[in-house]
Amino acid sequence: MIPLIQFELRKMVRRKATFAGMAIIVIISILLTLSTVSGESRTDQNGQEITGLSAVSLAREQTHEQAGRLTTKKIGAAIERYHAARNNPQNLNGEELSDKAYGQTEQKDAEILSLIRQIYSPKAGYDYYVINKLTSADASHFYQKRMDKVQEYLDTDYTYGNYSVEDKAIFVKMNQKIAVPFAFDYTDGWKNVLLNLWIIIFAAAFIICVCVSPVFSGEYQSGADSIILSSRYGRSKVIRAKFWASIILTTGLFLASILIFTLLILAIYGYFGWNSNLQIIQFRAPFPLTLMETYIWSVLLGFLACLLMMTFTLVLSAKMKAPFYVIICSAIVLLGPMFIPYSKSSRFFNHIINLFPVKMMNGYSSFSHYELYHVLGYSIPEPYAMAGTAVILSIVLLPLAYKGFRNHQVA
């Protein structure tokens, strides 16, 4: 069996599409990294705007100095420094801080102040100047204010359906499991990885579909199906060997893609912040996870989505006689849901849309949202419903691909 798997794997790896696919992944990773870094900006001690790598380095240095637990004392100190800077007339340019004063005083607290603004802003919207109304004593209410924000979100009326009392209770309980005070550090590296990870997973999924599309249809096209299906193990071991080779190739391509992108980003931004709370970059997120845990779950969810696309492509490959048509159909299933707008009147419809593979690839989004799937009396958070769906469908589809090729009638 192992020699058969090795033979099938060599056939797949040696195809030009596999090499081209990995080259595309490298190019996309580099372009995403360059785009991310080029968009960075910071104000230095002289009030000059710096961009790119210099901005990343300064942000990392300033923010990492405050690494640790985001205690109410630390939050209060940031508020005090904010007011102290503005109470010094020499720092002002009209009613605002001068660029130089901002670079020397407020900027090092930028990440903490951003959290404060999000959490203390009124329900109606984001108030950049809300800190002007706060004192250091208000910091003691920081974590309760966050919970108030969560409750406000759950109590809002939505056109596609409101949260039930039971759903609200589940999400409140999830939020209560989040350890406070939050673990805080410089998180830009992990934030950029999580925000852009779906693009890499999407590209990897498409390349996987291209690479496995000829597994069965390629045999039809070349005429080798008559030889394979008439051989002793053509309808059993050979098919299983093709399955295992496809799984190994999918796993290898996926992991290589993820590692290339992740290491590129972290090589520039640094690994700091891996143990920070998810709530540092998405304050309302209901899951009690660190950024590293969110990353691992997102990668796992993306891998299951790629496996699902692989099994679907194998089913098509067993049914169609040309790899080109297999690729077209797989691309439609992969891309199509991106163009289906979310319903403004049906939460159930939106739940169905989110179970398509392309939606599973954005793990960061699913772990930041408040969505429950009600199945057989159980309330399942969206990421776990996505994972379960991918596993179940993959298990269902593999036998269909097996039967599709085994029962193929040779002309």
Side-chain angles (χ1 to χ4, degrees):
M1 186 67 175
I2 293 178
L4 278 174
I5 295 173
Q6 292 174 335
F7 174 72
E8 293 294 338
L9 187 60
R10 280 197 298 270
K11 283 168 58 178
M12 298 169 74
V13 170
R14 288 175 179 175
R15 291 190 182 109
K16 293 179 180 179
T18 305
F19 292 101
M22 284 311 305
I24 290 171
I25 289 293
V26 172
I27 292 170
I28 292 175
S29 297
I30 292 173
L31 291 176
L32 275 176
T33 303
L34 291 175
S35 174
T36 301
V37 173
S38 64
E40 299 287 354
S41 65
R42 204 81 172 175
T43 304
D44 66 15
Q45 298 287 314
N46 298 316
Q48 301 298 313
E49 182 183 16
I50 56 176
T51 59
L53 292 174
S54 299
V56 171
S57 179
L58 180 59
R60 182 172 60 241
E61 177 186 342
Q62 290 180 332
T63 308
H64 185 59
E65 287 179 359
Q66 302 189 59
R69 289 288 167 181
L70 188 59
T71 61
T72 54
K73 182 178 179 180
K74 186 177 290 186
I75 295 167
I79 295 174
E80 285 183 351
R81 288 191 292 270
Y82 175 90
H83 288 299
R86 280 161 173 73
N87 289 334
N88 185 345
Q90 296 181 355
N91 291 338
L92 300 179
N93 182 8
E95 296 183 356
E96 300 290 339
L97 283 180
S98 66
D99 291 341
K100 184 175 182 180
Y102 176 81
Q104 293 177 347
T105 60
E106 186 176 316
Q107 185 172 243
K108 66 179 180 180
D109 292 320
E111 283 72 20
I112 295 177
L113 294 176
S114 176
L115 274 172
I116 294 172
R117 290 185 178 104
Q118 293 177 69
I119 289 176
Y120 284 87
S121 287
K123 182 180 179 180
Y126 180 80
D127 183 1
Y128 182 84
Y129 296 101
V130 70
I131 305 177
N132 293 344
K133 308 169 188 176
L134 303 178
T135 67
S136 58
D138 291 313
S140 61
H141 308 299
F142 180 83
Y143 291 102
Q144 183 55 51
K145 289 289 290 184
R146 179 192 169 274
M147 285 301 299
D148 292 343
K149 279 283 188 180
V150 168
Q151 194 64 54
E152 283 179 2
Y153 180 80
L154 293 173
D155 290 339
T156 300
D157 289 327
Y158 298 98
T159 59
Y160 47 78
N162 295 333
Y163 295 102
S164 67
V165 174
E166 292 77 14
D167 290 351
K168 292 178 184 179
I170 290 172
F171 283 123
V172 168
K173 188 175 181 180
M174 288 173 63
N175 275 278
Q176 289 173 343
K177 291 181 180 179
I178 298 172
V180 294
F182 296 155
F184 177 83
D185 203 343
Y186 174 73
T187 58
D188 283 5
W190 289 102
K191 179 181 179 180
N192 286 316
V193 168
L194 289 170
L195 284 173
N196 295 302
L197 191 62
W198 76 271
I199 300 175
I200 297 299
I201 295 175
F202 176 83
F206 180 74
I207 291 165
I208 287 167
C209 290
V210 172
C211 291
V212 302
S213 61
V215 168
F216 297 119
S217 60
E219 310 292 14
Y220 302 149
Q221 196 173 54
S222 65
D225 57 322
S226 58
I227 300 174
I228 294 173
L229 293 172
S230 61
S231 65
R232 181 178 181 183
Y233 297 112
R235 297 180 185 270
S236 55
K237 288 186 178 181
V238 172
I239 300 176
R240 291 197 294 272
K242 288 179 178 292
F243 283 168
W244 279 113
S246 298
I247 293 171
I248 293 170
L249 181 73
T250 296
T251 304
L253 279 174
F254 178 82
L255 291 178
S257 302
I258 295 299
L259 285 174
I260 288 169
F261 174 67
T262 301
L263 293 177
L264 266 176
I265 291 288
L266 296 185
I268 293 173
Y269 284 88
Y271 62 89
F272 299 125
W274 63 271
N275 61 338
S276 296
N277 283 71
L278 170 59
Q279 289 70 30
I280 294 299
I281 62 174
Q282 180 49 267
F283 81 94
R284 203 165 46 209
F287 291 84
L289 300 172
T290 64
L291 293 184
M292 174 61 82
E293 290 168 341
T294 305
Y295 171 77
I296 292 172
W297 274 106
S298 298
V299 168
L300 177 59
L301 199 55
F303 177 63
L304 292 176
C306 287
L307 277 181
L308 178 54
M309 284 306 305
M310 178 209 75
T311 57
F312 179 75
T313 304
L314 287 176
V315 171
L316 295 177
S317 183
K319 295 291 185 181
M320 298 180 173
K321 295 187 177 181
F324 176 76
Y325 298 117
V326 176
I327 294 171
I328 294 299
C329 292
S330 295
I332 290 172
V333 171
L334 183 61
L335 284 165
M338 295 177 67
F339 301 98
I340 301 175
Y342 282 112
S343 171
K344 295 182 179 180
S345 59
S346 174
R347 187 184 291 271
F348 176 76
F349 177 84
N350 295 339
H351 282 177
I352 297 299
I353 293 298
N354 283 337
L355 292 179
F356 280 88
V358 70
K359 300 296 183 178
M360 298 179 189
M361 295 172 187
N362 195 345
Y364 169 71
S365 177
S366 63
F367 281 103
S368 300
H369 288 168
Y370 285 70
E371 296 295 340
L372 291 174
Y373 286 67
H374 300 285
V375 182
L376 301 176
Y378 293 94
S379 297
I380 307 172
E382 184 175 77
Y384 308 143
M386 289 177 168
T389 300
V391 171
I392 292 170
L393 288 179
S394 296
I395 292 173
V396 169
L397 289 173
L398 273 179
L400 295 179
Y402 184 93
K403 292 178 181 179
F405 185 70
R406 186 188 64 182
N407 298 335
H408 173 70
Q409 297 298 316
V410 180

